[in-house]
Amino acid sequence: MAIEPTPQRRPGGRSERVRRAVLDATLDLLHRDGLNGVAVADVAAAAGVHETSIYRRWGKKENLIVEALLDEAEELIPIPDTGTLRDDLTAYATSLTTYLMSPIGTAFDRALAALGDDPASVHTRSQYWQARTARSTSIVTRAIERGEIADVDPLRVIQMLVAPLHFRVVMTHEPLTPDLPAQVVDIVLNGLKGGPEVAGSK
């Protein structure tokens, strides 16, 4: 798998520089070798730190992998705040589609789906998705607080939004077309109209 450039970030203090070096090294290994190809010893060597420093900060490899993946996702799939639910959902689905269309996004989505049911794999997969949905559900929560929609389960809305995208990548291997995010958003909002009403929708 080709390694895509890691986005550059401004350095902070020494602790942040060490954290950044470790996360970048982890992402490089993930991009090259996949989820099962990351070893703490290799991360430490690439980052120029001791293994004990990594274990002291992250506890175990799975925690490090999750933080690295979340860190990358935060940059490549930001949580929008445009002021309207439709625009927020569309922007989020568009960013997710762009990521999933990339070689790395496709590979990681399929790798996460293919993880086994051993405790370490379950922990990695669950921790990643729980953290991602905890952030993305804020889109729906803000819409509820604005009175744009009635009270709904934010997690269910986000699941309905992203499921068709992940399904194409993992299950059917269909292409993610540029118009797909807006189409999925319309379906989700129309579904909400069948229960809680979406303010201003037609």
Side-chain angles (χ1 to χ4, degrees):
M1 182 194 310
I3 302 175
E4 293 187 357
T6 301
Q8 297 298 311
R9 302 167 178 82
R10 291 186 297 175
R14 182 180 183 281
S15 177
E16 175 57 25
R17 287 196 298 271
V18 170
R19 173 183 174 274
R20 185 74 264 146
V22 171
L23 292 182
D24 286 346
T26 304
L27 287 171
D28 285 344
L29 289 170
L30 283 167
H31 295 170
R32 189 186 73 191
D33 301 327
L35 290 172
N36 295 322
V38 176
V40 172
D42 294 335
V43 173
V49 301
H50 294 294
E51 289 183 57
T52 54
S53 298
I54 294 177
Y55 284 114
R56 184 165 56 247
R57 178 158 190 161
W58 282 277
K60 55 185 176 180
K61 181 180 72 173
E62 289 76 20
N63 293 336
L64 173 60
I65 289 174
V66 167
E67 183 170 340
L69 289 173
L70 287 172
D71 186 77
E72 184 173 60
E74 283 299 294
E75 185 155 348
L76 299 178
I77 318 171
I79 306 302
D81 187 3
T82 66
T84 69
L85 178 60
R86 181 181 293 276
D87 288 347
D88 280 352
L89 292 177
T90 302
Y92 183 69
T94 299
S95 294
L96 177 59
T97 296
T98 299
Y99 175 70
L100 292 177
M101 288 172 61
S102 71
I104 288 174
T106 298
F108 281 148
D109 205 36
R110 292 174 182 172
L112 282 171
L115 281 177
D117 292 327
D118 59 283
S121 295
V122 170
H123 173 79
T124 299
R125 183 171 52 229
S126 297
Q127 192 176 357
Y128 177 80
W129 288 119
Q130 287 172 9
R132 280 301 299 167
T133 54
R135 292 172 171 83
S136 56
T137 51
S138 64
I139 294 172
V140 183
T141 301
R142 288 195 304 263
I144 295 171
E145 293 171 347
R146 289 193 300 264
E148 193 173 358
I149 56 175
D151 192 17
V152 294
D153 183 348
L155 177 59
R156 296 292 175 259
V157 176
I158 294 300
Q159 287 177 334
M160 287 189 293
L161 176 71
V162 304
L165 308 180
H166 291 294
F167 184 84
R168 286 195 173 206
V169 172
V170 175
M171 298 298 294
T172 65
H173 294 197
E174 295 176 82
L176 298 177
T177 57
D179 59 341
L180 185 59
Q183 292 175 356
V184 173
V185 169
D186 285 340
I187 292 171
V188 171
L189 294 181
N190 286 334
L192 289 175
K193 283 194 298 184
E197 182 178 355
V198 179
S201 61
K202 297 179 182 180

